[in-house]
């Protein structure tokens, strides 16, 4: 069952990136990065058994990397760095508020 949840999380997450990028472009990726960072830091501590291995649910980190890679390839290093700064500020705010 955990394998199905893991695969669904990956498919939904990566599909969301593609759809948001298609409809909102660069701004949409800027919006997704803090969401995926907060999600990753919230659920990454959960350990589950998948395919005979114990693993964390931090697949959202991969989604953040994909967003920054798209920004870097399409809009340049400056846009990717700006997205990282947005994510960093969002994580600080999340840490303070929680």
């Amino acid at each position: 069952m955990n394998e199905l949840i893991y695969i669904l999380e990956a498919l939904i997450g990566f599909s969301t990136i593609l759809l948001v990028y298609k409809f909102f472009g660069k701004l949409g990726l800027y919006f997704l990065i803090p969401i995926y960072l907060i999600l990753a830091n919230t659920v990454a501590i959960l350990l589950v058994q998948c395919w005979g291995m114990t693993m964390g649910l931090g697949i959202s980190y991969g989604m953040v990397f994909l967003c920054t890679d798209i920004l870097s390839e399409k809009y340049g290093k400056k846009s990717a760095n700006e997205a990282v700064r947005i994510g960093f500020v969002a994580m600080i705010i999340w840490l303070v508020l929680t």
Side-chain angles (χ1 to χ4, degrees), residues 6 9-10 13-14 17 33 36-37 40 57-70:
Y6 195 80
E9 181 184 0
F14 292 124
I17 290 172
I33 287 174
Y36 282 137
L37 278 173
L57 292 177
I59 194 166
S60 299
Y61 283 120
M63 295 173 205
V64 172
F65 293 138
L66 179 61
C67 289
T68 56
D69 285 346
I70 292 170

Side-chain angles (χ1 to χ4, degrees), residues 7-64:
I7 290 170
L8 282 175
E9 181 184 0
L11 287 175
I12 291 169
F14 292 124
S15 298
T16 302
I17 290 172
L18 294 175
L19 287 172
V20 166
Y21 182 62
K22 177 180 169 111
F23 290 112
F24 300 104
K26 183 167 124 174
L27 186 61
L29 293 179
Y30 283 156
F31 178 76
L32 281 181
I33 287 174
I35 291 172
Y36 282 137
L37 278 173
I38 291 169
L39 178 66
N41 284 311
T42 304
V43 299
I45 60 171
L46 300 174
L47 297 175
V48 294
Q49 289 286 340
C50 285
W51 298 290
M53 300 179 289
T54 302
M55 54 194 327
L57 292 177
I59 194 166
S60 299
Y61 283 120
M63 295 173 205
V64 172

Side-chain angles (χ1 to χ4, degrees), residues 80-93:
N81 285 338
E82 186 176 349
V84 170
R85 284 192 298 273
I86 290 169
F88 182 74
V89 169
M91 288 308 305
I92 296 226
I93 292 169

